[in-house]
Amino acid sequence: QVHLQESGPGLVKPSETLSLTCTVSGGSVSSGGFYWSWIRQSPGKGLEWIGYIYYTGNTNNNPSLKSRVTISVDTSKNEFSLKMDSVTAADTAVYYCARMGQHLVRGCFDIWGQGTLVTVSS
Amino acid sequence: DIQMTQSPSSLSASVGDRITITCRASQSVSSYLNWYQQKPGKAPKLLIYGVSSLQSGVPSRFSGSGSGTDFTLTISSLQPEDFATYYCQQSYSPPWTFGQGTKVEIK
């Protein structure tokens, strides 16, 4: 059974970089057909898809976050990561990693991590 | 971006009630419509994908229907464990977008 676990600092200062890692267990991030995603949830904006990465390194990010987001994958560690630059209070949210696959229907998220709260504050 | 609008935003119901939640897309999403259930402090859980296909392990009292821009999630007989917030999500065109949620509360 595939399990996802987010890790990273819970507090980030404004203008700095948010960095989170999602460790995949019970399966391989290199499995074809799965896209490894980041999603966040804040009271103000609800659920917001941030972006995804395929094990080959191909990515697709939400244009609303422009070029602030970088998603990377480390197949040797079976994990993928999120970096978000120049954070503001508006980036305060619970961040989830999730698996998206074609095996059910394109673009649905069938496995989620438990989520991690990131607060942007000085 | 495709906007997803759910109604109602919240509803109160009793155990055993039949309830329906509506999700409307700002443009056609064909059959790429998914539903999630979220309980407080937990991650969303996939309930239904592709409009009407139940995710493994999801009880048959949950059902989905619709096409194009208008979709519904129905719970035929509400159980105590069904009190939660439900979200629709389109996977027709990135950026994937979610509805704002419908909170189902105990009457």
Side-chain angles (χ1 to χ4, degrees), chain A residues 11-100:
Chain A
L11 180 64
V12 182
K13 291 182 168 56
S15 80
E16 296 192 343
T17 298
L18 177 160
S19 296
L20 295 174
T21 296
C22 182
T23 301
V24 179
S25 58
S28 173
V29 75
S30 301
S31 298
F34 296 113
Y35 297 77
W36 305 95
S37 289
W38 289 97
I39 296 162
R40 68 182 182 180
Q41 185 172 31
S42 62
K45 294 198 73 176
L47 286 161
E48 181 180 28
W49 172 71
I50 298 170
Y52 67 64
I53 189 164
Y54 197 56
Y55 77 97
T56 57
N58 288 348
T59 60
N60 189 354
N61 296 339
N62 193 326
S64 70
L65 296 166
K66 298 181 181 175
S67 57
R68 294 199 297 134
V69 167
T70 302
I71 299 176
S72 58
V73 64
D74 188 333
T75 56
S76 67
K77 293 183 178 179
N78 214 30
E79 63 187 30
F80 60 106
S81 299
L82 168 70
K83 290 190 187 301
M84 183 180 295
D85 297 329
S86 306
V87 297
T88 70
D91 295 310
T92 294
V94 175
Y95 286 75
Y96 296 100
C97 56
R99 186 180 80 170
M100 184 182 84

XYZ file of all heavy atoms in Angstrom, chain A residues 11-100:
691
model
N 7.361 26.707 9.902
C 7.361 28.164 9.971
C 8.400 28.700 8.996
O 9.563 28.286 9.016
C 7.672 28.629 11.393
C 7.700 30.135 11.639
C 6.322 30.751 11.397
C 8.173 30.425 13.069
N 7.965 29.609 8.142
C 8.858 30.235 7.160
C 8.658 31.738 7.237
O 7.527 32.216 7.371
C 8.534 29.728 5.735
C 9.498 30.341 4.716
C 8.599 28.215 5.673
N 9.751 32.466 7.143
C 9.658 33.929 7.194
C 9.241 34.496 5.840
O 9.561 33.930 4.782
C 11.002 34.531 7.616
C 11.383 34.267 9.060
C 12.705 34.946 9.406
C 12.985 34.945 10.902
N 12.967 33.601 11.491
N 8.528 35.609 5.874
C 8.147 36.262 4.614
C 9.376 36.549 3.761
O 10.439 36.892 4.282
C 7.483 37.562 5.087
C 6.984 37.253 6.451
C 7.973 36.308 7.049
N 9.202 36.386 2.470
C 10.210 36.595 1.418
C 11.194 35.430 1.301
O 11.979 35.390 0.351
C 10.988 37.909 1.603
O 12.002 37.778 2.575
N 11.142 34.479 2.222
C 12.060 33.357 2.153
C 11.439 32.212 1.319
O 10.387 32.358 0.705
C 12.449 32.898 3.556
C 13.229 33.979 4.305
C 13.887 33.485 5.578
O 13.509 32.403 6.080
O 14.783 34.207 6.083
N 12.158 31.084 1.292
C 11.738 29.947 0.466
C 11.153 28.835 1.313
O 11.759 28.413 2.299
C 12.920 29.409 -0.358
O 13.372 30.427 -1.249
C 12.514 28.177 -1.161
N 9.974 28.391 0.915
C 9.317 27.252 1.551
C 9.860 25.989 0.890
O 9.896 25.901 -0.352
C 7.818 27.378 1.338
C 6.826 26.325 1.812
C 5.432 26.935 1.910
C 6.793 25.108 0.903
N 10.262 25.014 1.713
C 10.788 23.758 1.170
C 10.128 22.584 1.871
O 10.191 22.489 3.098
C 12.304 23.673 1.367
O 12.965 24.679 0.640
N 9.524 21.714 1.096
C 8.879 20.522 1.626
C 9.302 19.309 0.814
O 9.590 19.412 -0.379
C 7.357 20.656 1.566
C 6.715 21.740 2.420
C 5.224 21.824 2.121
C 6.939 21.474 3.897
N 9.308 18.167 1.484
C 9.634 16.893 0.835
C 8.518 15.908 1.099
O 7.930 15.907 2.191
C 10.973 16.346 1.351
O 12.014 17.246 0.972
C 11.264 14.967 0.782
N 8.226 15.096 0.137
C 7.248 14.026 0.268
C 7.954 12.689 0.041
O 8.508 12.445 -1.042
C 6.130 14.198 -0.741
S 4.825 12.943 -0.632
N 7.949 11.869 1.061
C 8.575 10.555 0.961
C 7.515 9.516 0.604
O 6.451 9.455 1.250
C 9.256 10.187 2.285
O 10.246 11.183 2.584
C 9.932 8.835 2.189
N 7.813 8.720 -0.399
C 6.887 7.696 -0.872
C 7.338 6.338 -0.326
O 8.498 5.957 -0.465
C 6.867 7.655 -2.414
C 5.923 6.568 -2.913
C 6.466 9.022 -2.969
N 6.430 5.622 0.305
C 6.730 4.279 0.790
C 5.672 3.315 0.282
O 4.547 3.714 -0.022
C 6.798 4.254 2.317
O 5.585 4.690 2.884
N 6.051 2.043 0.188
C 5.111 1.044 -0.304
C 4.944 1.053 -1.804
O 4.089 0.346 -2.335
N 5.719 1.842 -2.473
C 5.658 1.941 -3.922
C 6.825 2.771 -4.394
O 7.621 3.270 -3.590
N 6.944 2.921 -5.712
C 8.082 3.639 -6.263
C 7.642 4.903 -6.975
O 6.675 4.891 -7.752
C 8.837 2.741 -7.252
O 9.845 3.480 -7.924
N 8.363 5.978 -6.717
C 8.086 7.231 -7.407
C 8.393 7.087 -8.902
O 7.931 7.901 -9.718
C 8.890 8.376 -6.757
C 10.357 8.314 -7.141
C 8.289 9.716 -7.117
N 9.138 6.046 -9.241
C 9.497 5.815 -10.646
C 8.474 4.975 -11.390
O 8.684 4.636 -12.556
C 10.867 5.118 -10.735
O 11.867 5.892 -10.125
N 7.391 4.619 -10.720
C 6.338 3.842 -11.368
C 5.724 4.658 -12.497
O 5.263 5.792 -12.268
C 5.245 3.450 -10.377
O 5.754 2.631 -9.370
N 5.696 4.090 -13.670
C 5.099 4.799 -14.790
C 3.605 4.979 -14.595
O 2.942 4.159 -13.967
N 3.098 6.082 -15.144
C 1.660 6.315 -15.100
C 1.193 7.121 -13.912
O 0.013 7.445 -13.814
N 2.103 7.458 -13.007
C 1.725 8.248 -11.841
C 2.455 9.588 -11.851
O 3.631 9.666 -12.180
C 2.040 7.496 -10.541
C 1.258 6.228 -10.382
C 1.892 4.997 -10.412
C -0.115 6.267 -10.222
C 1.176 3.825 -10.275
C -0.848 5.095 -10.091
C -0.200 3.863 -10.124
N 1.713 10.612 -11.452
C 2.250 11.962 -11.375
C 2.183 12.393 -9.915
O 1.156 12.230 -9.256
C 1.431 12.916 -12.253
C 1.497 12.551 -13.716
C 0.755 11.497 -14.232
C 2.319 13.259 -14.584
C 0.833 11.155 -15.568
C 2.400 12.929 -15.931
C 1.654 11.866 -16.407
O 1.735 11.529 -17.733
N 3.252 12.936 -9.427
C 3.392 13.235 -8.006
C 3.159 14.722 -7.800
O 3.878 15.559 -8.324
C 4.750 12.760 -7.527
C 4.925 11.306 -7.853
C 5.535 10.776 -8.954
C 4.396 10.192 -7.117
N 5.428 9.401 -8.947
C 4.743 9.016 -7.825
C 3.672 10.066 -5.926
C 4.388 7.732 -7.386
C 3.335 8.792 -5.495
C 3.684 7.643 -6.211
N 2.124 15.010 -6.998
C 1.580 16.369 -6.956
C 1.717 17.024 -5.593
O 1.862 16.343 -4.567
C 0.081 16.337 -7.296
O -0.143 16.053 -8.639
N 1.622 18.317 -5.626
C 1.477 19.127 -4.415
C 0.168 19.910 -4.513
O -0.158 20.479 -5.564
C 2.647 20.084 -4.244
C 3.925 19.397 -3.873
C 4.942 19.025 -4.707
C 4.318 18.966 -2.562
N 5.940 18.398 -4.006
C 5.579 18.350 -2.677
C 3.734 19.049 -1.285
C 6.273 17.817 -1.578
C 4.415 18.526 -0.203
C 5.668 17.919 -0.354
N -0.548 19.922 -3.410
C -1.819 20.622 -3.288
C -1.803 21.333 -1.943
O -1.246 20.802 -0.976
C -2.997 19.618 -3.338
C -3.050 18.922 -4.703
C -4.341 20.320 -3.054
C -3.878 17.638 -4.709
N -2.377 22.508 -1.891
C -2.446 23.194 -0.599
C -3.884 23.590 -0.288
O -4.736 23.686 -1.186
C -1.522 24.409 -0.556
C -1.916 25.552 -1.455
C -0.886 26.681 -1.341
N -1.236 27.834 -2.166
C -0.499 28.937 -2.234
N 0.627 29.036 -1.527
N -0.884 29.938 -2.994
N -4.110 23.838 0.988
C -5.451 24.193 1.441
C -5.365 25.298 2.474
O -4.745 25.137 3.513
C -6.158 22.969 2.043
C -7.597 23.211 2.439
C -8.291 21.928 2.850
O -7.677 21.002 3.378
N -9.591 21.843 2.583
N -5.976 26.400 2.163
C -6.029 27.518 3.098
C -7.473 27.936 3.259
O -8.300 27.712 2.365
C -5.186 28.690 2.581
O -5.703 29.154 1.336
N -7.803 28.544 4.399
C -9.188 28.978 4.612
C -9.665 29.938 3.527
O -10.801 29.900 3.110
C -9.138 29.662 5.979
C -7.983 29.044 6.660
C -6.980 28.775 5.570
N -8.766 30.758 3.045
C -9.161 31.779 2.086
C -9.347 31.278 0.672
O -10.215 31.747 -0.059
N -8.557 30.299 0.261
C -8.574 29.868 -1.142
C -8.984 28.414 -1.324
O -8.975 27.903 -2.425
C -7.202 30.098 -1.780
C -6.817 31.566 -1.896
C -5.695 31.785 -2.896
C -6.193 31.626 -4.327
N -5.143 31.936 -5.319
N -9.328 27.735 -0.251
C -9.752 26.349 -0.404
C -8.608 25.475 -0.880
O -7.436 25.720 -0.614
N -8.970 24.437 -1.640
C -7.969 23.505 -2.175
C -7.413 24.055 -3.481
O -8.166 24.408 -4.389
C -8.601 22.132 -2.422
C -8.884 21.309 -1.172
C -9.899 20.211 -1.475
C -7.591 20.698 -0.637
N -6.102 24.108 -3.559
C -5.421 24.660 -4.729
C -4.326 23.701 -5.179
O -3.405 23.394 -4.423
C -4.840 26.032 -4.400
C -4.138 26.704 -5.569
C -3.580 28.059 -5.195
O -3.242 28.275 -4.013
O -3.461 28.915 -6.094
N -4.420 23.253 -6.424
C -3.388 22.412 -7.002
C -2.170 23.285 -7.313
O -2.296 24.319 -7.953
C -3.912 21.733 -8.251
C -2.871 20.993 -9.033
C -2.249 19.827 -8.693
C -2.322 21.380 -10.297
N -1.357 19.463 -9.673
C -1.384 20.393 -10.670
C -2.532 22.464 -11.153
C -0.658 20.456 -11.849
C -1.818 22.522 -12.341
C -0.891 21.534 -12.669
N -0.993 22.838 -6.849
C 0.230 23.608 -7.041
C 0.977 23.145 -8.282
O 1.439 23.956 -9.101
C 1.148 23.484 -5.806
C 0.445 24.053 -4.567
C 2.487 24.164 -6.056
C 1.170 23.772 -3.262
N 1.100 21.825 -8.435
C 1.815 21.303 -9.585
C 2.111 19.827 -9.417
O 1.818 19.241 -8.379
N 2.675 19.230 -10.474
C 3.059 17.825 -10.378
C 4.361 17.579 -11.120
O 4.818 18.396 -11.919
C 1.963 16.909 -10.906
C 1.655 16.979 -12.389
C 2.584 16.621 -13.373
C 0.380 17.359 -12.828
C 2.272 16.669 -14.721
C 0.060 17.403 -14.175
C 1.002 17.064 -15.117
O 0.697 17.112 -16.452
N 4.959 16.424 -10.820
C 6.160 16.004 -11.499
C 6.030 14.530 -11.852
O 5.417 13.750 -11.113
C 7.429 16.263 -10.641
C 8.697 16.025 -11.465
C 7.424 15.421 -9.360
C 9.949 16.627 -10.831
N 6.564 14.157 -12.999
C 6.669 12.757 -13.407
C 8.080 12.316 -13.086
O 8.993 13.147 -12.969
C 6.369 12.650 -14.896
C 6.048 11.264 -15.389
C 5.008 10.524 -14.822
C 6.764 10.685 -16.434
C 4.701 9.262 -15.290
C 6.460 9.425 -16.906
C 5.434 8.711 -16.325
O 5.127 7.454 -16.787
N 8.293 11.003 -12.974
C 9.611 10.535 -12.532
C 10.726 10.907 -13.505
O 11.897 10.983 -13.129
C 9.583 9.023 -12.298
C 9.623 8.180 -13.559
C 10.826 7.654 -14.023
C 8.461 7.909 -14.274
C 10.870 6.877 -15.170
C 8.493 7.133 -15.420
C 9.694 6.619 -15.868
O 9.725 5.858 -17.016
N 10.337 11.215 -14.734
C 11.330 11.623 -15.740
C 11.795 13.058 -15.518
O 12.759 13.504 -16.132
C 10.718 11.541 -17.141
O 9.537 12.356 -17.176
C 10.373 10.100 -17.489
N 11.076 13.771 -14.636
C 11.415 15.165 -14.377
C 10.486 16.161 -15.037
O 10.593 17.366 -14.792
N 9.589 15.680 -15.882
C 8.611 16.580 -16.497
C 7.680 17.143 -15.432
O 7.197 16.407 -14.564
C 7.779 15.828 -17.538
C 8.586 15.516 -18.787
O 9.677 16.038 -18.975
N 8.047 14.674 -19.637
N 7.441 18.433 -15.500
C 6.589 19.086 -14.517
C 5.480 19.894 -15.186
O 5.556 20.234 -16.365
C 7.400 20.042 -13.619
O 8.017 21.047 -14.446
C 8.462 19.305 -12.828
N 4.478 20.185 -14.391
C 3.399 21.072 -14.809
C 2.948 21.817 -13.567
O 2.543 21.181 -12.590
C 2.245 20.273 -15.422
C 1.205 21.169 -16.076
O 1.262 22.381 -15.996
N 0.248 20.553 -16.751
N 3.037 23.130 -13.592
C 2.693 23.924 -12.416
C 1.499 24.810 -12.684
O 1.207 25.164 -13.831
C 3.883 24.802 -12.005
C 5.083 24.001 -11.578
O 4.966 22.837 -11.203
N 6.250 24.624 -11.629
N 0.839 25.200 -11.611
C -0.289 26.112 -11.703
C 0.216 27.513 -12.087
O 1.042 28.082 -11.371
C -1.021 26.162 -10.371
C -2.375 26.826 -10.454
O -2.565 27.758 -11.222
N -3.313 26.339 -9.663
N -0.278 28.041 -13.179
C 0.199 29.371 -13.610
C -0.031 30.467 -12.572
O 0.668 31.477 -12.589
C -0.613 29.640 -14.883
C -0.996 28.298 -15.378
C -1.199 27.454 -14.154
N -1.007 30.259 -11.682
C -1.299 31.283 -10.669
C -0.118 31.496 -9.732
O -0.009 32.544 -9.094
C -2.532 30.890 -9.855
O -2.253 29.779 -9.026
N 0.747 30.507 -9.651
C 1.917 30.625 -8.778
C 3.152 31.036 -9.563
O 4.244 31.148 -9.004
C 2.154 29.298 -8.051
C 1.018 28.925 -7.103
C 1.116 27.476 -6.667
C 1.027 29.846 -5.889
N 2.942 31.246 -10.833
C 3.954 31.755 -11.754
C 5.259 30.995 -11.613
O 5.286 29.768 -11.578
C 4.129 33.258 -11.531
C 2.838 34.019 -11.814
C 2.991 35.505 -11.637
C 1.654 36.182 -11.904
N 1.699 37.622 -11.639
N 6.341 31.671 -11.513
C 7.637 30.996 -11.499
C 8.166 30.802 -10.083
O 9.334 30.490 -9.898
C 8.638 31.805 -12.319
O 8.724 33.112 -11.811
N 7.298 30.967 -9.082
C 7.762 30.820 -7.697
C 7.968 29.373 -7.284
O 8.598 29.093 -6.278
C 6.772 31.468 -6.732
C 6.665 32.982 -6.857
C 6.053 33.560 -5.590
N 4.696 33.110 -5.346
C 4.254 32.678 -4.164
N 5.071 32.633 -3.125
N 2.994 32.311 -4.011
N 7.394 28.457 -8.055
C 7.362 27.048 -7.651
C 8.354 26.208 -8.447
O 8.436 26.320 -9.677
C 5.935 26.500 -7.830
C 5.911 24.976 -7.729
C 4.998 27.109 -6.789
N 9.069 25.360 -7.724
C 9.921 24.353 -8.350
C 9.609 23.015 -7.704
O 9.634 22.893 -6.481
C 11.412 24.661 -8.152
O 11.706 25.944 -8.694
C 12.267 23.601 -8.837
N 9.276 22.035 -8.522
C 9.044 20.680 -8.041
C 10.122 19.787 -8.634
O 10.398 19.858 -9.841
C 7.643 20.173 -8.417
C 6.574 21.075 -7.783
C 7.449 18.732 -7.957
C 5.144 20.721 -8.178
N 10.727 18.976 -7.778
C 11.800 18.090 -8.218
C 11.558 16.697 -7.683
O 10.753 16.490 -6.764
C 13.158 18.619 -7.739
O 13.168 18.725 -6.327
N 12.240 15.722 -8.253
C 12.102 14.333 -7.824
C 13.484 13.730 -7.630
O 14.424 14.039 -8.371
C 11.271 13.520 -8.846
C 11.974 13.424 -10.192
C 10.928 12.139 -8.306
N 13.604 12.901 -6.602
C 14.839 12.157 -6.351
C 14.467 10.683 -6.322
O 13.978 10.177 -5.305
C 15.461 12.600 -5.025
C 16.843 12.001 -4.804
O 17.113 10.907 -5.359
O 17.652 12.590 -4.075
N 14.676 10.023 -7.446
C 14.257 8.620 -7.544
C 15.089 7.727 -6.638
O 14.599 6.694 -6.172
C 14.344 8.129 -8.993
O 15.666 8.334 -9.482
C 13.345 8.881 -9.881
N 16.326 8.120 -6.352
C 17.179 7.283 -5.497
C 16.688 7.281 -4.049
O 16.880 6.307 -3.326
C 18.623 7.772 -5.555
O 18.750 9.052 -4.973
N 16.043 8.370 -3.645
C 15.498 8.461 -2.285
C 14.004 8.177 -2.262
O 13.393 8.176 -1.190
C 15.763 9.851 -1.706
C 17.233 10.161 -1.464
C 17.391 11.537 -0.831
C 18.855 11.840 -0.544
N 19.016 13.197 0.052
N 13.419 7.974 -3.430
C 11.982 7.733 -3.550
C 11.175 8.882 -2.931
O 10.247 8.656 -2.137
C 11.574 6.393 -2.915
C 10.430 5.737 -3.649
O 10.251 5.890 -4.860
N 9.627 4.983 -2.917
N 11.532 10.082 -3.313
C 10.845 11.244 -2.780
C 10.774 12.351 -3.827
O 11.511 12.335 -4.814
C 11.555 11.767 -1.520
C 12.960 12.244 -1.743
C 13.702 12.606 -0.454
O 13.418 12.011 0.613
O 14.580 13.483 -0.532
N 9.861 13.272 -3.600
C 9.786 14.451 -4.449
C 9.616 15.670 -3.550
O 9.214 15.552 -2.394
C 8.690 14.339 -5.513
C 7.293 14.157 -4.989
C 6.381 15.203 -5.019
C 6.858 12.924 -4.517
C 5.083 15.038 -4.566
C 5.564 12.740 -4.062
C 4.668 13.798 -4.083
N 9.935 16.830 -4.090
C 10.032 18.022 -3.254
C 9.377 19.238 -3.891
O 9.204 19.302 -5.112
C 11.511 18.346 -2.975
O 12.141 17.285 -2.297
N 9.046 20.170 -3.027
C 8.451 21.444 -3.440
C 9.300 22.578 -2.886
O 9.664 22.564 -1.705
C 7.023 21.555 -2.884
C 6.348 22.928 -2.983
C 6.023 23.264 -4.435
C 5.082 22.980 -2.122
N 9.598 23.533 -3.721
C 10.198 24.789 -3.268
C 9.345 25.931 -3.796
O 8.991 25.955 -4.981
C 11.641 24.931 -3.766
C 12.625 23.980 -3.104
C 14.061 24.323 -3.458
C 15.036 23.290 -2.947
N 14.980 23.123 -1.470
N 9.025 26.841 -2.911
C 8.234 28.009 -3.278
C 8.969 29.248 -2.784
O 9.207 29.399 -1.585
C 6.830 27.927 -2.665
C 5.919 29.077 -3.056
S 4.285 28.931 -2.313
C 3.678 27.457 -3.111
N 9.325 30.096 -3.724
C 10.115 31.277 -3.409
C 9.241 32.447 -2.969
O 8.043 32.508 -3.251
C 10.910 31.724 -4.655
C 11.901 30.691 -5.117
O 12.420 29.941 -4.263
O 12.154 30.616 -6.336
N 9.895 33.395 -2.306
C 9.280 34.701 -1.999
C 7.904 34.557 -1.365
O 6.919 35.150 -1.823
C 9.189 35.538 -3.284
O 10.437 35.651 -3.919
N 7.817 33.764 -0.329
C 6.518 33.501 0.292
C 6.002 34.736 1.037
O 6.763 35.583 1.509
C 6.568 32.283 1.222
C 6.909 31.019 0.435
C 7.553 32.497 2.363
N 4.694 34.798 1.113
C 3.998 35.823 1.890
C 2.991 35.131 2.802
O 2.804 33.905 2.728
C 3.266 36.811 0.975
O 2.150 36.131 0.373
C 4.177 37.365 -0.118
N 2.307 35.919 3.604
C 1.301 35.354 4.505
C 0.227 34.593 3.735
O -0.377 33.645 4.260
C 0.680 36.463 5.341
N -0.003 34.983 2.493
C -1.017 34.306 1.678
C -0.648 32.870 1.346
O -1.493 32.086 0.902
C -1.241 35.086 0.383
N 0.608 32.515 1.562
C 1.051 31.139 1.304
C 0.904 30.246 2.531
O 1.236 29.055 2.480
C 2.511 31.135 0.838
C 2.688 31.839 -0.502
O 1.932 31.512 -1.436
O 3.572 32.715 -0.602
N 0.421 30.806 3.621
C 0.138 30.002 4.801
C -0.992 29.025 4.487
O -2.070 29.434 4.050
C -0.263 30.903 5.987
O 0.868 31.695 6.371
C -0.733 30.065 7.171
N -0.729 27.744 4.694
C -1.712 26.723 4.306
C -1.252 25.363 4.821
O -0.112 25.205 5.262
C -1.858 26.663 2.781
N -2.140 24.408 4.729
C -1.763 23.010 4.877
C -1.342 22.522 3.490
O -2.104 22.678 2.519
C -2.915 22.161 5.421
C -2.515 20.683 5.453
C -3.323 22.635 6.814
N -0.154 21.964 3.412
C 0.379 21.469 2.143
C 0.299 19.949 2.132
O 0.760 19.287 3.074
C 1.819 21.934 1.953
C 1.908 23.408 1.592
C 1.703 24.394 2.558
C 2.156 23.810 0.285
C 1.747 25.746 2.223
C 2.212 25.149 -0.059
C 2.003 26.114 0.916
O 2.031 27.448 0.579
N -0.300 19.439 1.062
C -0.425 17.999 0.875
C 0.395 17.556 -0.332
O 0.426 18.255 -1.353
C -1.869 17.610 0.587
C -2.863 17.864 1.690
C -3.693 18.991 1.672
C -3.009 16.958 2.742
C -4.625 19.213 2.679
C -3.933 17.166 3.747
C -4.736 18.297 3.713
O -5.666 18.512 4.705
N 1.003 16.382 -0.211
C 1.480 15.720 -1.417
C 0.456 14.643 -1.762
O -0.238 14.110 -0.883
C 2.884 15.155 -1.259
S 3.162 14.002 0.097
N 0.345 14.350 -3.028
C -0.678 13.419 -3.485
C -0.236 12.727 -4.765
O 0.574 13.264 -5.531
C -2.002 14.149 -3.719
N -0.783 11.539 -4.986
C -0.508 10.801 -6.213
C -1.657 11.003 -7.188
O -2.824 10.880 -6.828
C -0.355 9.308 -5.916
C 0.085 8.492 -7.122
C 0.218 7.022 -6.793
N -1.070 6.331 -6.793
C -1.209 5.015 -6.724
N -0.127 4.259 -6.630
N -2.398 4.459 -6.730
N -1.297 11.319 -8.394
C -2.278 11.479 -9.453
C -1.934 10.467 -10.537
O -0.772 10.340 -10.920
C -2.206 12.893 -10.022
C -3.227 13.229 -11.070
S -2.992 14.907 -11.707
C -1.756 14.618 -12.943
